[in-house]
Amino acid sequence: MDRGYEKEAFTCLSIKKSIAKKYRRFCKTQGTSQSLTLMAMVEFFEHNGLSPQERLGETIASLKYLVKRRFNALIAILRSIEKEQTLPTMGMIQALFEQELENENEEWENEFDFIEKQLSEPENSKEPDLEMEVMVPKIRLDRLEEKHQELKEDFKYVLNQVRMFRNRFGKDHLKLEINPEALDKYRTKLEN
């Protein structure tokens, strides 16, 4: 018996035989009585505001694919932040700490040598301290090389989309077979 419904009487519903068999098999797989299964189904539809005739727009698999794509986009954004912001900053901080450690290890003798060099050498022959300036330009150089490589690949793609058209009565002309969205993307990339 169904708990909470022991005193209620049964009633009949007019259902086709094939549907009734299918429903009974479904109730057995759920492990509940026919009454409780039907009540649970009706409550589900009422609670979620659904109609049995309507189909849900997307399947679980398509929603899973959409979530996976969004996670991949998020990971790409985080990697980009790490590559363009965190690593160069870390490199600059590390270079500063290394410079500071080198300065701490030097004793008074090096400072006197520096003063002696200043007095003995003329002012025009001073060479700037290049050690400090090496780390930051190296990072900028790497970043510029990556951007240069990307621009070369984009330019190759655009050149591969150019077609020559011969005109019988006038000058020959070139035609770019690329969609406007891609063209706008390349324009903004070059402007930035």
Side-chain angles (χ1 to χ4, degrees), residues 107-153:
E107 297 196 359
W108 290 97
E109 296 172 14
N110 291 340
E111 288 189 21
F112 290 125
D113 291 340
F114 177 72
I115 293 171
E116 288 176 12
K117 285 181 184 177
Q118 268 189 336
L119 294 174
S120 64
E121 296 176 5
E123 288 186 28
N124 295 338
S125 64
K126 286 184 183 178
E127 294 182 20
D129 186 18
L130 296 178
E131 220 171 285
M132 181 64 178
E133 296 177 8
V134 170
M135 188 62 177
V136 177
K138 173 76 169 122
I139 294 169
R140 287 189 64 211
L141 177 68
D142 292 342
R143 194 179 301 161
L144 287 173
E145 285 176 349
E146 288 174 8
K147 287 182 180 180
H148 177 68
Q149 190 62 29
E150 287 177 16
L151 285 173
K152 279 175 58 177
E153 290 171 6

mmCIF file of all heavy atoms in Angstrom, residues 107-153:
data_model
loop_
_atom_site.group_PDB
_atom_site.id
_atom_site.type_symbol
_atom_site.label_atom_id
_atom_site.label_comp_id
_atom_site.label_asym_id
_atom_site.label_seq_id
_atom_site.Cartn_x
_atom_site.Cartn_y
_atom_site.Cartn_z
ATOM 1 N N GLU A 107 80.886 44.442 -0.928
ATOM 2 C CA GLU A 107 81.239 45.148 0.302
ATOM 3 C C GLU A 107 81.691 46.563 -0.028
ATOM 4 O O GLU A 107 81.572 47.022 -1.165
ATOM 5 C CB GLU A 107 82.331 44.372 1.037
ATOM 6 C CG GLU A 107 81.830 43.014 1.457
ATOM 7 C CD GLU A 107 82.720 42.384 2.499
ATOM 8 O OE1 GLU A 107 83.735 42.978 2.882
ATOM 9 O OE2 GLU A 107 82.373 41.306 2.906
ATOM 10 N N TRP A 108 82.230 47.230 0.960
ATOM 11 C CA TRP A 108 82.642 48.619 0.808
ATOM 12 C C TRP A 108 83.681 48.808 -0.279
ATOM 13 O O TRP A 108 83.749 49.862 -0.906
ATOM 14 C CB TRP A 108 83.206 49.137 2.139
ATOM 15 C CG TRP A 108 82.151 49.296 3.187
ATOM 16 C CD1 TRP A 108 81.833 48.414 4.156
ATOM 17 C CD2 TRP A 108 81.273 50.403 3.343
ATOM 18 N NE1 TRP A 108 80.814 48.883 4.919
ATOM 19 C CE2 TRP A 108 80.442 50.130 4.434
ATOM 20 C CE3 TRP A 108 81.090 51.610 2.670
ATOM 21 C CZ2 TRP A 108 79.474 50.999 4.876
ATOM 22 C CZ3 TRP A 108 80.112 52.486 3.114
ATOM 23 C CH2 TRP A 108 79.326 52.166 4.205
ATOM 24 N N GLU A 109 84.468 47.769 -0.518
ATOM 25 C CA GLU A 109 85.541 47.897 -1.491
ATOM 26 C C GLU A 109 85.003 48.262 -2.870
ATOM 27 O O GLU A 109 85.575 49.083 -3.567
ATOM 28 C CB GLU A 109 86.330 46.587 -1.572
ATOM 29 C CG GLU A 109 87.046 46.228 -0.302
ATOM 30 C CD GLU A 109 87.642 44.838 -0.390
ATOM 31 O OE1 GLU A 109 87.721 44.284 -1.500
ATOM 32 O OE2 GLU A 109 88.022 44.322 0.657
ATOM 33 N N ASN A 110 83.907 47.621 -3.255
ATOM 34 C CA ASN A 110 83.340 47.906 -4.574
ATOM 35 C C ASN A 110 82.855 49.347 -4.666
ATOM 36 O O ASN A 110 82.913 49.958 -5.724
ATOM 37 C CB ASN A 110 82.201 46.942 -4.888
ATOM 38 C CG ASN A 110 82.705 45.531 -5.095
ATOM 39 O OD1 ASN A 110 83.880 45.320 -5.376
ATOM 40 N ND2 ASN A 110 81.824 44.561 -4.951
ATOM 41 N N GLU A 111 82.348 49.892 -3.584
ATOM 42 C CA GLU A 111 81.887 51.271 -3.624
ATOM 43 C C GLU A 111 83.063 52.226 -3.802
ATOM 44 O O GLU A 111 82.977 53.217 -4.512
ATOM 45 C CB GLU A 111 81.114 51.608 -2.352
ATOM 46 C CG GLU A 111 79.760 50.938 -2.338
ATOM 47 C CD GLU A 111 78.905 51.440 -1.189
ATOM 48 O OE1 GLU A 111 79.159 52.527 -0.660
ATOM 49 O OE2 GLU A 111 77.984 50.723 -0.843
ATOM 50 N N PHE A 112 84.212 51.919 -3.137
ATOM 51 C CA PHE A 112 85.381 52.763 -3.294
ATOM 52 C C PHE A 112 85.932 52.650 -4.716
ATOM 53 O O PHE A 112 86.381 53.638 -5.287
ATOM 54 C CB PHE A 112 86.457 52.401 -2.266
ATOM 55 C CG PHE A 112 86.065 52.783 -0.865
ATOM 56 C CD1 PHE A 112 86.057 51.834 0.151
ATOM 57 C CD2 PHE A 112 85.688 54.078 -0.562
ATOM 58 C CE1 PHE A 112 85.695 52.184 1.435
ATOM 59 C CE2 PHE A 112 85.322 54.432 0.730
ATOM 60 C CZ PHE A 112 85.322 53.481 1.727
ATOM 61 N N ASP A 113 85.854 51.407 -5.287
ATOM 62 C CA ASP A 113 86.317 51.235 -6.673
ATOM 63 C C ASP A 113 85.471 52.087 -7.605
ATOM 64 O O ASP A 113 85.976 52.678 -8.569
ATOM 65 C CB ASP A 113 86.250 49.772 -7.083
ATOM 66 C CG ASP A 113 87.265 48.902 -6.348
ATOM 67 O OD1 ASP A 113 88.255 49.452 -5.822
ATOM 68 O OD2 ASP A 113 87.056 47.683 -6.340
ATOM 69 N N PHE A 114 84.183 52.137 -7.340
ATOM 70 C CA PHE A 114 83.288 52.925 -8.175
ATOM 71 C C PHE A 114 83.643 54.408 -8.102
ATOM 72 O O PHE A 114 83.675 55.090 -9.116
ATOM 73 C CB PHE A 114 81.835 52.683 -7.724
ATOM 74 C CG PHE A 114 80.835 53.493 -8.477
ATOM 75 C CD1 PHE A 114 80.534 53.199 -9.793
ATOM 76 C CD2 PHE A 114 80.196 54.570 -7.877
ATOM 77 C CE1 PHE A 114 79.610 53.935 -10.494
ATOM 78 C CE2 PHE A 114 79.280 55.317 -8.574
ATOM 79 C CZ PHE A 114 78.980 54.998 -9.885
ATOM 80 N N ILE A 115 83.937 54.892 -6.916
ATOM 81 C CA ILE A 115 84.298 56.304 -6.746
ATOM 82 C C ILE A 115 85.623 56.588 -7.452
ATOM 83 O O ILE A 115 85.782 57.616 -8.129
ATOM 84 C CB ILE A 115 84.375 56.667 -5.244
ATOM 85 C CG1 ILE A 115 82.974 56.586 -4.648
ATOM 86 C CG2 ILE A 115 84.966 58.057 -5.051
ATOM 87 C CD1 ILE A 115 82.932 56.718 -3.143
ATOM 88 N N GLU A 116 86.586 55.669 -7.313
ATOM 89 C CA GLU A 116 87.875 55.856 -7.981
ATOM 90 C C GLU A 116 87.711 55.885 -9.496
ATOM 91 O O GLU A 116 88.341 56.689 -10.186
ATOM 92 C CB GLU A 116 88.847 54.747 -7.580
ATOM 93 C CG GLU A 116 89.343 54.870 -6.161
ATOM 94 C CD GLU A 116 90.222 53.693 -5.773
ATOM 95 O OE1 GLU A 116 90.631 52.909 -6.660
ATOM 96 O OE2 GLU A 116 90.479 53.553 -4.578
ATOM 97 N N LYS A 117 86.856 55.001 -10.018
ATOM 98 C CA LYS A 117 86.637 54.989 -11.469
ATOM 99 C C LYS A 117 86.017 56.298 -11.927
ATOM 100 O O LYS A 117 86.343 56.812 -12.992
ATOM 101 C CB LYS A 117 85.713 53.824 -11.869
ATOM 102 C CG LYS A 117 86.382 52.485 -11.848
ATOM 103 C CD LYS A 117 85.406 51.408 -12.273
ATOM 104 C CE LYS A 117 86.041 50.038 -12.158
ATOM 105 N NZ LYS A 117 85.093 48.968 -12.505
ATOM 106 N N GLN A 118 85.120 56.838 -11.140
ATOM 107 C CA GLN A 118 84.490 58.100 -11.507
ATOM 108 C C GLN A 118 85.518 59.225 -11.573
ATOM 109 O O GLN A 118 85.457 60.073 -12.457
ATOM 110 C CB GLN A 118 83.408 58.475 -10.483
ATOM 111 C CG GLN A 118 82.053 57.987 -10.846
ATOM 112 C CD GLN A 118 81.010 58.577 -9.909
ATOM 113 O OE1 GLN A 118 81.296 58.962 -8.783
ATOM 114 N NE2 GLN A 118 79.801 58.630 -10.388
ATOM 115 N N LEU A 119 86.414 59.224 -10.633
ATOM 116 C CA LEU A 119 87.402 60.291 -10.601
ATOM 117 C C LEU A 119 88.444 60.147 -11.701
ATOM 118 O O LEU A 119 88.933 61.140 -12.247
ATOM 119 C CB LEU A 119 88.084 60.334 -9.223
ATOM 120 C CG LEU A 119 87.179 60.715 -8.058
ATOM 121 C CD1 LEU A 119 87.937 60.578 -6.754
ATOM 122 C CD2 LEU A 119 86.656 62.134 -8.234
ATOM 123 N N SER A 120 88.807 58.901 -12.017
ATOM 124 C CA SER A 120 89.878 58.696 -12.993
ATOM 125 C C SER A 120 89.391 58.748 -14.435
ATOM 126 O O SER A 120 90.138 59.132 -15.320
ATOM 127 C CB SER A 120 90.586 57.366 -12.726
ATOM 128 O OG SER A 120 89.681 56.312 -12.912
ATOM 129 N N GLU A 121 88.164 58.348 -14.709
ATOM 130 C CA GLU A 121 87.663 58.315 -16.088
ATOM 131 C C GLU A 121 86.924 59.602 -16.420
ATOM 132 O O GLU A 121 86.249 60.180 -15.579
ATOM 133 C CB GLU A 121 86.702 57.131 -16.279
ATOM 134 C CG GLU A 121 87.348 55.782 -16.118
ATOM 135 C CD GLU A 121 86.333 54.654 -16.228
ATOM 136 O OE1 GLU A 121 85.153 54.924 -16.517
ATOM 137 O OE2 GLU A 121 86.727 53.510 -16.029
ATOM 138 N N PRO A 122 87.019 60.027 -17.653
ATOM 139 C CA PRO A 122 86.242 61.205 -18.048
ATOM 140 C C PRO A 122 84.747 60.856 -18.099
ATOM 141 O O PRO A 122 84.354 59.709 -18.249
ATOM 142 C CB PRO A 122 86.774 61.542 -19.445
ATOM 143 C CG PRO A 122 87.617 60.405 -19.865
ATOM 144 C CD PRO A 122 87.918 59.565 -18.679
ATOM 145 N N GLU A 123 83.918 61.881 -17.998
ATOM 146 C CA GLU A 123 82.469 61.675 -17.911
ATOM 147 C C GLU A 123 81.881 61.103 -19.192
ATOM 148 O O GLU A 123 80.882 60.409 -19.157
ATOM 149 C CB GLU A 123 81.766 62.998 -17.584
ATOM 150 C CG GLU A 123 82.001 63.440 -16.164
ATOM 151 C CD GLU A 123 81.192 64.667 -15.831
ATOM 152 O OE1 GLU A 123 80.123 64.860 -16.444
ATOM 153 O OE2 GLU A 123 81.617 65.432 -14.972
ATOM 154 N N ASN A 124 82.438 61.360 -20.332
ATOM 155 C CA ASN A 124 81.883 60.883 -21.595
ATOM 156 C C ASN A 124 82.024 59.380 -21.765
ATOM 157 O O ASN A 124 81.294 58.770 -22.544
ATOM 158 C CB ASN A 124 82.557 61.581 -22.779
ATOM 159 C CG ASN A 124 82.256 63.048 -22.779
ATOM 160 O OD1 ASN A 124 81.268 63.486 -22.194
ATOM 161 N ND2 ASN A 124 83.112 63.818 -23.419
ATOM 162 N N SER A 125 82.956 58.759 -21.097
ATOM 163 C CA SER A 125 83.186 57.337 -21.300
ATOM 164 C C SER A 125 82.368 56.461 -20.352
ATOM 165 O O SER A 125 82.625 55.285 -20.240
ATOM 166 C CB SER A 125 84.670 57.021 -21.134
ATOM 167 O OG SER A 125 85.053 57.295 -19.797
ATOM 168 N N LYS A 126 81.414 57.032 -19.658
ATOM 169 C CA LYS A 126 80.591 56.232 -18.745
ATOM 170 C C LYS A 126 79.724 55.260 -19.536
ATOM 171 O O LYS A 126 79.092 55.642 -20.523
ATOM 172 C CB LYS A 126 79.672 57.134 -17.914
ATOM 173 C CG LYS A 126 80.386 57.889 -16.844
ATOM 174 C CD LYS A 126 79.380 58.656 -16.027
ATOM 175 C CE LYS A 126 80.066 59.492 -14.980
ATOM 176 N NZ LYS A 126 79.092 60.265 -14.215
ATOM 177 N N GLU A 127 79.677 54.016 -19.095
ATOM 178 C CA GLU A 127 78.815 53.014 -19.716
ATOM 179 C C GLU A 127 77.656 52.736 -18.780
ATOM 180 O O GLU A 127 77.846 52.530 -17.589
ATOM 181 C CB GLU A 127 79.597 51.726 -19.987
ATOM 182 C CG GLU A 127 80.678 51.902 -21.015
ATOM 183 C CD GLU A 127 81.391 50.599 -21.280
ATOM 184 O OE1 GLU A 127 80.840 49.530 -20.980
ATOM 185 O OE2 GLU A 127 82.511 50.663 -21.808
ATOM 186 N N PRO A 128 76.455 52.686 -19.271
ATOM 187 C CA PRO A 128 75.308 52.420 -18.394
ATOM 188 C C PRO A 128 75.341 50.981 -17.898
ATOM 189 O O PRO A 128 75.908 50.098 -18.533
ATOM 190 C CB PRO A 128 74.094 52.672 -19.295
ATOM 191 C CG PRO A 128 74.599 52.494 -20.671
ATOM 192 C CD PRO A 128 76.054 52.892 -20.649
ATOM 193 N N ASP A 129 74.736 50.768 -16.746
ATOM 194 C CA ASP A 129 74.654 49.443 -16.153
ATOM 195 C C ASP A 129 73.633 48.635 -16.967
ATOM 196 O O ASP A 129 72.429 48.828 -16.853
ATOM 197 C CB ASP A 129 74.221 49.542 -14.681
ATOM 198 C CG ASP A 129 74.262 48.189 -13.996
ATOM 199 O OD1 ASP A 129 74.927 47.276 -14.527
ATOM 200 O OD2 ASP A 129 73.629 48.045 -12.937
ATOM 201 N N LEU A 130 74.110 47.744 -17.818
ATOM 202 C CA LEU A 130 73.245 47.009 -18.739
ATOM 203 C C LEU A 130 72.579 45.798 -18.102
ATOM 204 O O LEU A 130 71.608 45.286 -18.637
ATOM 205 C CB LEU A 130 74.049 46.564 -19.962
ATOM 206 C CG LEU A 130 74.599 47.679 -20.838
ATOM 207 C CD1 LEU A 130 75.417 47.088 -21.969
ATOM 208 C CD2 LEU A 130 73.470 48.520 -21.390
ATOM 209 N N GLU A 131 73.110 45.337 -16.988
ATOM 210 C CA GLU A 131 72.562 44.130 -16.379
ATOM 211 C C GLU A 131 71.093 44.305 -16.010
ATOM 212 O O GLU A 131 70.276 43.425 -16.183
ATOM 213 C CB GLU A 131 73.375 43.781 -15.133
ATOM 214 C CG GLU A 131 73.619 42.304 -14.992
ATOM 215 C CD GLU A 131 74.607 42.044 -13.884
ATOM 216 O OE1 GLU A 131 75.805 42.285 -14.100
ATOM 217 O OE2 GLU A 131 74.155 41.626 -12.829
ATOM 218 N N MET A 132 70.734 45.454 -15.482
ATOM 219 C CA MET A 132 69.356 45.723 -15.071
ATOM 220 C C MET A 132 68.444 45.856 -16.290
ATOM 221 O O MET A 132 67.291 45.487 -16.250
ATOM 222 C CB MET A 132 69.325 47.002 -14.230
ATOM 223 C CG MET A 132 67.975 47.373 -13.717
ATOM 224 S SD MET A 132 67.411 46.100 -12.597
ATOM 225 C CE MET A 132 65.882 46.785 -12.098
ATOM 226 N N GLU A 133 68.977 46.364 -17.370
ATOM 227 C CA GLU A 133 68.169 46.631 -18.548
ATOM 228 C C GLU A 133 67.972 45.400 -19.433
ATOM 229 O O GLU A 133 67.243 45.450 -20.392
ATOM 230 C CB GLU A 133 68.814 47.750 -19.370
ATOM 231 C CG GLU A 133 68.863 49.063 -18.639
ATOM 232 C CD GLU A 133 69.570 50.134 -19.441
ATOM 233 O OE1 GLU A 133 69.876 49.885 -20.616
ATOM 234 O OE2 GLU A 133 69.816 51.210 -18.890
ATOM 235 N N VAL A 134 68.613 44.290 -19.127
ATOM 236 C CA VAL A 134 68.555 43.121 -19.994
ATOM 237 C C VAL A 134 67.240 42.362 -19.835
ATOM 238 O O VAL A 134 66.652 41.924 -20.812
ATOM 239 C CB VAL A 134 69.763 42.189 -19.723
ATOM 240 C CG1 VAL A 134 69.593 40.870 -20.440
ATOM 241 C CG2 VAL A 134 71.032 42.869 -20.173
ATOM 242 N N MET A 135 66.729 42.214 -18.615
ATOM 243 C CA MET A 135 65.576 41.344 -18.366
ATOM 244 C C MET A 135 64.292 41.873 -18.996
ATOM 245 O O MET A 135 63.587 41.152 -19.671
ATOM 246 C CB MET A 135 65.406 41.173 -16.851
ATOM 247 C CG MET A 135 64.366 40.159 -16.489
ATOM 248 S SD MET A 135 64.893 38.568 -17.122
ATOM 249 C CE MET A 135 63.598 37.545 -16.524
ATOM 250 N N VAL A 136 63.976 43.129 -18.789
ATOM 251 C CA VAL A 136 62.721 43.680 -19.295
ATOM 252 C C VAL A 136 62.695 43.703 -20.825
ATOM 253 O O VAL A 136 61.729 43.255 -21.426
ATOM 254 C CB VAL A 136 62.447 45.070 -18.685
ATOM 255 C CG1 VAL A 136 61.194 45.671 -19.268
ATOM 256 C CG2 VAL A 136 62.339 44.959 -17.171
ATOM 257 N N PRO A 137 63.745 44.176 -21.505
ATOM 258 C CA PRO A 137 63.705 44.127 -22.964
ATOM 259 C C PRO A 137 63.618 42.702 -23.503
ATOM 260 O O PRO A 137 63.012 42.478 -24.540
ATOM 261 C CB PRO A 137 65.000 44.798 -23.389
ATOM 262 C CG PRO A 137 65.314 45.722 -22.278
ATOM 263 C CD PRO A 137 64.862 44.996 -21.049
ATOM 264 N N LYS A 138 64.206 41.717 -22.824
ATOM 265 C CA LYS A 138 64.113 40.327 -23.265
ATOM 266 C C LYS A 138 62.657 39.873 -23.264
ATOM 267 O O LYS A 138 62.191 39.227 -24.207
ATOM 268 C CB LYS A 138 64.965 39.449 -22.328
ATOM 269 C CG LYS A 138 64.822 37.973 -22.571
ATOM 270 C CD LYS A 138 65.584 37.556 -23.798
ATOM 271 C CE LYS A 138 65.637 36.045 -23.868
ATOM 272 N NZ LYS A 138 65.086 35.516 -25.073
ATOM 273 N N ILE A 139 61.923 40.243 -22.229
ATOM 274 C CA ILE A 139 60.506 39.882 -22.151
ATOM 275 C C ILE A 139 59.732 40.567 -23.269
ATOM 276 O O ILE A 139 58.914 39.947 -23.941
ATOM 277 C CB ILE A 139 59.939 40.266 -20.769
ATOM 278 C CG1 ILE A 139 60.605 39.414 -19.684
ATOM 279 C CG2 ILE A 139 58.438 40.089 -20.728
ATOM 280 C CD1 ILE A 139 60.325 39.882 -18.285
ATOM 281 N N ARG A 140 60.020 41.871 -23.472
ATOM 282 C CA ARG A 140 59.341 42.597 -24.548
ATOM 283 C C ARG A 140 59.682 41.999 -25.908
ATOM 284 O O ARG A 140 58.830 41.884 -26.777
ATOM 285 C CB ARG A 140 59.716 44.075 -24.518
ATOM 286 C CG ARG A 140 59.056 44.818 -23.366
ATOM 287 C CD ARG A 140 59.251 46.293 -23.450
ATOM 288 N NE ARG A 140 58.588 46.813 -24.642
ATOM 289 C CZ ARG A 140 59.023 47.867 -25.319
ATOM 290 N NH1 ARG A 140 60.099 48.504 -24.950
ATOM 291 N NH2 ARG A 140 58.376 48.290 -26.378
ATOM 292 N N LEU A 141 60.939 41.611 -26.090
ATOM 293 C CA LEU A 141 61.377 41.015 -27.347
ATOM 294 C C LEU A 141 60.624 39.714 -27.607
ATOM 295 O O LEU A 141 60.134 39.485 -28.721
ATOM 296 C CB LEU A 141 62.881 40.757 -27.326
ATOM 297 C CG LEU A 141 63.440 40.065 -28.575
ATOM 298 C CD1 LEU A 141 63.358 41.001 -29.766
ATOM 299 C CD2 LEU A 141 64.862 39.613 -28.349
ATOM 300 N N ASP A 142 60.505 38.870 -26.577
ATOM 301 C CA ASP A 142 59.769 37.610 -26.750
ATOM 302 C C ASP A 142 58.320 37.877 -27.138
ATOM 303 O O ASP A 142 57.771 37.227 -28.036
ATOM 304 C CB ASP A 142 59.818 36.787 -25.463
ATOM 305 C CG ASP A 142 61.216 36.268 -25.174
ATOM 306 O OD1 ASP A 142 62.041 36.254 -26.104
ATOM 307 O OD2 ASP A 142 61.467 35.886 -24.016
ATOM 308 N N ARG A 143 57.690 38.833 -26.460
ATOM 309 C CA ARG A 143 56.295 39.156 -26.757
ATOM 310 C C ARG A 143 56.144 39.700 -28.175
ATOM 311 O O ARG A 143 55.224 39.337 -28.909
ATOM 312 C CB ARG A 143 55.774 40.161 -25.735
ATOM 313 C CG ARG A 143 54.259 40.274 -25.786
ATOM 314 C CD ARG A 143 53.713 41.235 -24.791
ATOM 315 N NE ARG A 143 54.073 40.861 -23.439
ATOM 316 C CZ ARG A 143 54.040 41.693 -22.415
ATOM 317 N NH1 ARG A 143 53.670 42.943 -22.597
ATOM 318 N NH2 ARG A 143 54.361 41.300 -21.205
ATOM 319 N N LEU A 144 57.075 40.569 -28.583
ATOM 320 C CA LEU A 144 57.019 41.122 -29.936
ATOM 321 C C LEU A 144 57.252 40.045 -30.994
ATOM 322 O O LEU A 144 56.621 40.067 -32.062
ATOM 323 C CB LEU A 144 58.040 42.248 -30.092
ATOM 324 C CG LEU A 144 57.708 43.551 -29.378
ATOM 325 C CD1 LEU A 144 58.878 44.523 -29.464
ATOM 326 C CD2 LEU A 144 56.457 44.174 -29.954
ATOM 327 N N GLU A 145 58.133 39.094 -30.709
ATOM 328 C CA GLU A 145 58.351 37.994 -31.657
ATOM 329 C C GLU A 145 57.090 37.149 -31.804
ATOM 330 O O GLU A 145 56.744 36.733 -32.919
ATOM 331 C CB GLU A 145 59.526 37.140 -31.204
ATOM 332 C CG GLU A 145 60.866 37.781 -31.441
ATOM 333 C CD GLU A 145 62.019 36.947 -30.894
ATOM 334 O OE1 GLU A 145 61.776 35.969 -30.159
ATOM 335 O OE2 GLU A 145 63.178 37.285 -31.209
ATOM 336 N N GLU A 146 56.380 36.888 -30.696
ATOM 337 C CA GLU A 146 55.133 36.123 -30.779
ATOM 338 C C GLU A 146 54.097 36.872 -31.609
ATOM 339 O O GLU A 146 53.431 36.286 -32.469
ATOM 340 C CB GLU A 146 54.583 35.868 -29.377
ATOM 341 C CG GLU A 146 55.375 34.866 -28.583
ATOM 342 C CD GLU A 146 54.875 34.762 -27.154
ATOM 343 O OE1 GLU A 146 53.816 35.351 -26.829
ATOM 344 O OE2 GLU A 146 55.542 34.084 -26.357
ATOM 345 N N LYS A 147 53.963 38.182 -31.369
ATOM 346 C CA LYS A 147 53.002 38.977 -32.132
ATOM 347 C C LYS A 147 53.385 39.015 -33.609
ATOM 348 O O LYS A 147 52.511 38.939 -34.479
ATOM 349 C CB LYS A 147 52.913 40.394 -31.570
ATOM 350 C CG LYS A 147 52.179 40.465 -30.254
ATOM 351 C CD LYS A 147 52.082 41.897 -29.783
ATOM 352 C CE LYS A 147 51.351 41.979 -28.456
ATOM 353 N NZ LYS A 147 51.249 43.350 -27.976
ATOM 354 N N HIS A 148 54.681 39.132 -33.888
ATOM 355 C CA HIS A 148 55.153 39.148 -35.268
ATOM 356 C C HIS A 148 54.798 37.833 -35.969
ATOM 357 O O HIS A 148 54.337 37.841 -37.120
ATOM 358 C CB HIS A 148 56.665 39.383 -35.295
ATOM 359 C CG HIS A 148 57.257 39.355 -36.666
ATOM 360 N ND1 HIS A 148 56.986 40.313 -37.607
ATOM 361 C CD2 HIS A 148 58.092 38.460 -37.258
ATOM 362 C CE1 HIS A 148 57.628 40.026 -38.722
ATOM 363 N NE2 HIS A 148 58.309 38.908 -38.539
ATOM 364 N N GLN A 149 54.996 36.726 -35.284
ATOM 365 C CA GLN A 149 54.666 35.415 -35.864
ATOM 366 C C GLN A 149 53.166 35.304 -36.147
ATOM 367 O O GLN A 149 52.757 34.816 -37.199
ATOM 368 C CB GLN A 149 55.130 34.282 -34.922
ATOM 369 C CG GLN A 149 55.049 32.918 -35.534
ATOM 370 C CD GLN A 149 55.943 32.755 -36.764
ATOM 371 O OE1 GLN A 149 56.977 33.389 -36.881
ATOM 372 N NE2 GLN A 149 55.533 31.914 -37.676
ATOM 373 N N GLU A 150 52.333 35.772 -35.205
ATOM 374 C CA GLU A 150 50.882 35.744 -35.416
ATOM 375 C C GLU A 150 50.493 36.594 -36.623
ATOM 376 O O GLU A 150 49.665 36.182 -37.439
ATOM 377 C CB GLU A 150 50.161 36.268 -34.171
ATOM 378 C CG GLU A 150 50.183 35.332 -33.002
ATOM 379 C CD GLU A 150 49.518 35.942 -31.774
ATOM 380 O OE1 GLU A 150 48.790 36.948 -31.920
ATOM 381 O OE2 GLU A 150 49.740 35.411 -30.683
ATOM 382 N N LEU A 151 51.088 37.790 -36.737
ATOM 383 C CA LEU A 151 50.769 38.657 -37.867
ATOM 384 C C LEU A 151 51.204 38.036 -39.187
ATOM 385 O O LEU A 151 50.509 38.153 -40.197
ATOM 386 C CB LEU A 151 51.426 40.022 -37.686
ATOM 387 C CG LEU A 151 50.772 40.942 -36.656
ATOM 388 C CD1 LEU A 151 51.619 42.191 -36.458
ATOM 389 C CD2 LEU A 151 49.368 41.317 -37.085
ATOM 390 N N LYS A 152 52.349 37.365 -39.212
ATOM 391 C CA LYS A 152 52.791 36.688 -40.424
ATOM 392 C C LYS A 152 51.800 35.610 -40.841
ATOM 393 O O LYS A 152 51.448 35.503 -42.019
ATOM 394 C CB LYS A 152 54.179 36.070 -40.201
ATOM 395 C CG LYS A 152 55.321 37.048 -40.347
ATOM 396 C CD LYS A 152 56.669 36.468 -40.000
ATOM 397 C CE LYS A 152 57.057 35.270 -40.815
ATOM 398 N NZ LYS A 152 58.411 34.768 -40.512
ATOM 399 N N GLU A 153 51.325 34.826 -39.869
ATOM 400 C CA GLU A 153 50.363 33.763 -40.188
ATOM 401 C C GLU A 153 49.061 34.357 -40.705
ATOM 402 O O GLU A 153 48.475 33.859 -41.679
ATOM 403 C CB GLU A 153 50.116 32.904 -38.953
ATOM 404 C CG GLU A 153 51.312 32.053 -38.573
ATOM 405 C CD GLU A 153 51.137 31.373 -37.223
ATOM 406 O OE1 GLU A 153 50.039 31.465 -36.644
ATOM 407 O OE2 GLU A 153 52.104 30.755 -36.767
#
